[in-house]
Amino acid sequence: MKSKPLVFATALAATLLAAPAFADDTVTIGMIVPMTGPSQSTGKQEQAGAKLYMQLHGDTVAGKKINFEIKDDTGAADVTKRLAQELVANDHAAALMGFGLTPLALAVAPIATEAKVPEIVTAAATAMITEKSPYIVRTSTTLPQASVPMAQWALKNGIKKVVTIVSDYGPGLDAEKWFGSAFTAGGGTIAEAIRVPLKNPDFAPFLQRVKDDAPDAVFVFVPSGFGSVFMKQFSERGLDKSGIKLIGTGDVTDDDLLADIGDPALGAVTAHHYSVAHDSPENKAFVEAFEKANGGMRPNFMAVAAYDGMALIYHALEVTKGATDGDALLAAMKGASWISPRGKVTIDPETRDIIQTIYFRKVEKVDGQLYNVEFDSIPDVKDPYKASKH
Ligand code: PHB
């Protein structure tokens, strides 16, 4: 008789202990990406990249089970914000990641700051994003990081007069500014700086103007997923055959879209941080596993940034031994360095942006398929925008 209450008490204590213990054993990571709308290729690639990291490295880190929640913001900033609030308040997410376009990443910055939750930007690339919250860390890139090397390459390769064409929002304005200032500082001329609306872009009228300007090259930035429209109109207007070179950041010759763009992309020279054709054992293993897990789909730079974003969160959780305190996670992320499928990368402890190799690539046909074939590189490139302020 005496033992009964004791058994009961023990069982109750076990139940009380078990509830928080269960919650403590799980860490929620929330990914918010556009899975519908014009940036859906970004959502698809990001999701697949992060999931592949978990598939290859297990879903348990430092004894914690990872609960990975993926949400579709349809590319609308008010939805991104609401989803981020829900993930933090209801799911107690320890980190948020993704954000397919600059305005979507910016919408989450105040939530990251207030909740002290790391916001890992794995897509958006306007340079100033990381300044909007001390909890933002970026594993993608910045536009100045590729635009300045592209200008330097153009100057060294006999290109004297350029027309720039960019999508008219944050990253496009960065590309225009940083390419333009580096190119003119080196003696080049910008004949015209054209901005095209991000939504439903029609490049045709602008391309006629480019023809009239007769530059040596057109420098272009459009975000991932929008390159086909530009390239098709470029070739329909006969610009690909007019002797005007196509140069840009690698967003326009996105690996995921090259097959759809087809031969008009041949010969385009771009500067970027990742090509599916990157020749390293890490990248070969990554591409093979990615294609196997995704029905043959090619990874692009968005997939790699999300794969690395997940790698960074895993690393931070290992350092904190599974603790999810935002400041501790941030401290572990600053200065982290690893070998990514794109090569060596480091999180700049000062700026929380990524230091990485920028490659020069040319679109070529290899075994009947189009690739951005790397032919030169600059190691350890920091974001020039922040470097200019330090
Ligand atoms: C952005 O909106 O910051 C962005 C999106 C896609 C890109 C580059 C930048 O390819």
Side-chain angles (χ1 to χ4, degrees):
M1 281 297 283
K2 257 189 184 171
S3 67
K4 256 197 176 166
L6 186 65
V7 169
F8 176 69
T10 311
L12 181 67
T15 316
L16 286 175
L17 280 175
F22 173 75
D24 274 359
D25 281 349
T26 303
V27 172
T28 296
I29 298 170
M31 171 176 259
I32 309 175
V33 281
M35 295 193 289
T36 44
S39 297
Q40 60 180 284
S41 69
T42 297
K44 184 184 65 179
Q45 290 275 350
E46 292 256 314
Q47 215 187 112
K51 279 189 181 160
L52 181 65
Y53 190 86
M54 294 182 69
Q55 186 194 311
L56 298 179
H57 298 86
D59 62 359
T60 304
V61 195
K64 304 284 174 106
K65 180 114 168 61
I66 301 297
N67 170 38
F68 188 39
E69 299 278 342
I70 304 171
K71 309 278 181 194
D72 176 13
D73 64 10
T74 71
D78 54 332
V79 181
T80 322
K81 188 166 187 179
R82 178 175 53 75
L83 291 171
Q85 269 157 347
E86 286 170 9
L87 279 163
V88 168
N90 305 344
D91 302 301
H92 306 290
L96 301 174
M97 67 188 294
F99 320 111
L101 292 163
T102 288
L104 314 178
L106 293 178
V108 178
I111 298 166
T113 304
E114 201 186 317
K116 298 185 189 296
V117 169
E119 175 184 347
I120 315 303
V121 175
T122 58
T126 305
M128 57 68 180
I129 290 174
T130 36
E131 294 177 335
K132 298 300 171 191
S133 167
Y135 291 89
I136 296 180
V137 181
R138 177 156 40 195
T139 59
S140 52
T141 188
T142 78
L143 263 301
Q145 236 172 339
S147 302
V148 171
M150 194 64 242
Q152 289 159 350
W153 183 89
L155 288 164
K156 275 192 215 133
N157 286 273
I159 294 172
K160 294 187 174 71
K161 183 171 146 188
V162 169
V163 171
T164 59
I165 303 188
V166 302
S167 298
D168 191 5
Y169 78 119
L173 304 187
D174 264 2
E176 178 192 284
K177 178 178 168 195
W178 286 86
F179 176 87
S181 53
F183 191 61
T184 48
T189 304
I190 300 293
E192 206 175 347
I194 297 170
R195 299 176 183 175
V196 182
L198 171 64
K199 292 207 174 114
N200 305 316
D202 180 9
F203 300 96
F206 303 106
L207 289 171
Q208 187 53 49
R209 266 161 59 191
V210 171
K211 233 178 166 175
D212 299 341
D213 286 329
D216 300 316
V218 173
F219 168 86
V220 64
F221 166 79
V222 290
S224 181
F226 290 72
S228 306
V229 181
F230 176 82
M231 295 296 247
K232 284 192 173 143
Q233 294 187 345
F234 191 80
S235 79
E236 273 163 22
R237 291 262 160 320
L239 279 124
D240 57 336
K241 309 241 161 35
S242 66
I244 301 173
K245 254 188 132 21
L246 188 73
I247 59 176
T249 59
D251 308 80
V252 70
T253 57
D254 185 336
D255 284 313
D256 192 18
L257 294 181
L258 272 183
D260 178 45
I261 298 170
D263 288 356
L266 279 169
V269 173
T270 55
H272 222 211
H273 54 287
Y274 178 71
S275 165
V276 73
H278 179 61
D279 188 11
S280 75
E282 292 81 11
N283 189 48
K284 288 217 165 74
F286 168 76
V287 173
E288 201 181 303
F290 187 95
E291 290 184 345
K292 194 167 164 219
N294 295 285
M297 179 169 85
R298 257 189 191 191
N300 72 359
F301 57 98
M302 294 296 186
V304 171
Y307 182 86
D308 284 335
M310 195 55 100
L312 181 63
I313 296 170
Y314 270 45
H315 162 77
L317 284 168
E318 262 154 25
V319 172
T320 64
K321 301 197 168 48
T324 54
D325 171 69
D327 289 310
L329 291 174
L330 245 296
M333 289 177 188
K334 289 178 187 174
S337 193
W338 67 100
I339 303 297
S340 152
R342 68 184 109 168
K344 183 187 158 213
V345 293
T346 304
I347 300 300
D348 187 334
E350 310 270 315
T351 65
R352 292 164 277 105
D353 261 316
I354 193 159
I355 304 171
Q356 58 190 341
T357 302
I358 295 297
Y359 302 91
F360 297 103
R361 317 95 48 85
K362 187 176 195 173
V363 177
E364 288 173 10
K365 218 170 239 176
V366 182
D367 298 333
Q369 285 191 49
L370 295 176
Y371 286 96
N372 290 292
V373 177
E374 295 168 357
F375 61 85
D376 204 355
S377 63
I378 311 175
D380 301 325
V381 178
K382 287 190 177 191
D383 172 45
Y385 163 71
K386 269 115 211 163
S388 74
K389 298 175 93 191
H390 278 260

